[in-house]
Amino acid sequence: MGKNGQLSITDVAYRPSLGAPIGMDVLDFAELRARGHRRGIDLGSPQRPGFHHLIHVRSGTLRHTVDFSEHVLHAGSWLWIQPGQVHQYAPEDLAAARGTIVIWQPGFADAEAPFEQAPLLPDGPHARATQLALRHLTHEYADLASIPLQSHIEALRLLLAVLLLRLAHARPETPAAHRPDGAFAHYHAAVERDFADTHRVADYATALGYNVRTLTRATLAATGLTAKQYLDARILLEAKRLLVHTDATAAEVSRRLGFREPGDFSKFFRKRDGRTPQQFRSVARGSTGSVVSDENPTTR
């Protein structure tokens, strides 16, 4: 809830603890709750961080909602949340479970997040390797004074990259035909930046130096969606975020997402969701707990 009881999404800026290296931080669930209290952030309410979260549950169970999908993280699970995603914790689980959260600013680690956003539960050698990588990262994070600061930061950068690489290889193997290529990676970044400015794939193709057919082939290979479907799904996701987590009117949401007229937005929404924006908002807010049941082809 925002001021005066109004619903809002809390935008959370990166703010490391005192003495933490610039760019990343490692904390346990208890410290996360303490920081939330100090900063006046309700961890059970929707928040949109401007930095990465890598959540690891050591014991217990943690329910966590990311963009209308509720995940249940059991002991040993990992979940990577991207900057800009709207997520919220189940406070009672956060108090009972034990685990670690690694947070870092974009650009700190040279690693791409997986397109598949589901939680990961490594097993066998992968579980041992990821645990070892996390222990090494945690040890280096706490050992601030033994080497020069710049060397310490570089060690953390490399150790975080190792952990993320190990997690990437713990995922089921992705067929080569479905791995994102350069064209899709560029398209994804452009959509994230400009989806409220243009809704035409041709505009992205021109800006990126591709033709529409190339972007469509690349997007189909990476996501199973055409370039237009991918773009529309991203716009729809942002619309749902604003309708559920804020008190903005449909007209205000329409304007923020770059539609010329509210009627155009309503037609767009109904064609892709089957409901009007107000119907979606009413149903979503009437559900208990987290808002789920809406499949999001794109979650970043």
Side-chain angles (χ1 to χ4, degrees):
M1 300 288 281
K3 294 180 180 179
N4 301 320
Q6 291 185 333
L7 287 170
S8 64
I9 301 172
T10 301
D11 290 317
V12 182
Y14 178 78
R15 188 186 299 173
S17 62
L18 293 175
I22 297 173
M24 72 156 289
D25 211 347
V26 180
L27 57 155
D28 60 21
F29 290 175
E31 175 59 20
L32 175 67
R33 297 197 311 273
R35 289 192 190 185
H37 179 73
R38 289 195 299 269
R39 297 183 61 179
I41 298 173
D42 179 3
L43 297 176
S45 295
Q47 52 192 285
R48 191 198 308 253
F51 49 93
H52 295 269
H53 284 61
L54 182 62
I55 302 174
H56 174 58
V57 177
R58 188 168 62 254
S59 64
T61 299
L62 180 68
R63 286 169 296 148
H64 199 81
T65 302
V66 185
D67 283 330
F68 309 104
S69 295
E70 184 179 84
H71 303 296
V72 180
L73 280 66
H74 301 288
S77 295
W78 301 77
L79 181 63
W80 187 346
I81 299 167
Q82 306 302 300
Q85 289 188 295
V86 176
H87 73 114
Q88 57 197 114
Y89 296 88
E92 62 276 18
D93 290 355
L94 192 61
R98 298 291 179 271
T100 302
I101 300 178
V102 183
I103 62 176
W104 68 96
Q105 295 195 80
F108 183 83
D110 185 19
E112 288 290 330
F115 184 78
E116 172 57 54
Q117 294 287 293
L120 176 64
L121 182 58
D123 59 6
H126 292 302
R128 292 190 292 274
T130 53
Q131 290 291 340
L132 180 61
L134 178 61
R135 286 199 298 272
H136 197 168
L137 177 66
T138 303
H139 172 79
E140 181 63 39
Y141 175 80
D143 191 20
L144 179 62
S146 64
I147 58 177
L149 178 60
Q150 196 55 45
S151 298
H152 177 64
I153 292 173
E154 186 60 24
L156 289 173
R157 194 190 313 275
L158 294 172
L159 289 170
L160 177 57
V162 168
L163 173 59
L164 298 178
L165 183 63
R166 278 293 185 177
L167 287 170
H169 283 280
R171 290 186 177 277
E173 186 66 21
T174 301
H178 296 287
R179 292 173 184 163
D181 67 2
F184 172 69
H186 294 150
Y187 181 56
H188 163 73
V191 167
E192 285 297 305
R193 184 182 63 247
D194 299 328
F195 68 85
D197 296 324
T198 178
H199 302 168
R200 299 176 67 249
V201 175
D203 293 340
Y204 294 92
T206 298
L208 295 170
Y210 297 108
N211 59 47
V212 172
R213 291 178 63 184
T214 297
L215 288 185
T216 295
R217 284 197 302 268
T219 308
L220 274 169
T223 71
L225 304 172
T226 67
K228 178 58 174 170
Q229 289 170 334
Y230 181 85
L231 173 59
D232 287 351
R234 182 62 183 89
I235 297 166
L236 184 66
L237 171 59
E238 197 67 24
K240 289 181 175 182
R241 287 171 171 173
L242 295 171
L243 288 167
V244 174
H245 299 310
T246 79
D247 283 327
T249 66
E252 290 169 339
V253 173
S254 170
R255 185 169 57 253
R256 290 173 66 172
L257 294 180
F259 289 89
R260 292 184 178 180
E261 300 290 340
D264 295 337
F265 169 61
S266 294
K267 291 176 185 176
F268 170 91
F269 195 98
R270 185 161 195 163
K271 180 178 180 180
R272 288 154 185 82
D273 182 78
R275 295 167 286 187
T276 67
Q278 281 295 351
Q279 287 171 336
F280 168 77
R281 171 178 268 171
S282 297
V283 171
R285 289 188 178 180
S287 61
T288 57
S290 302
V291 181
V292 293
S293 80
D294 290 284
E295 184 178 350
N296 297 300
T298 179
T299 57
R300 284 193 276 170

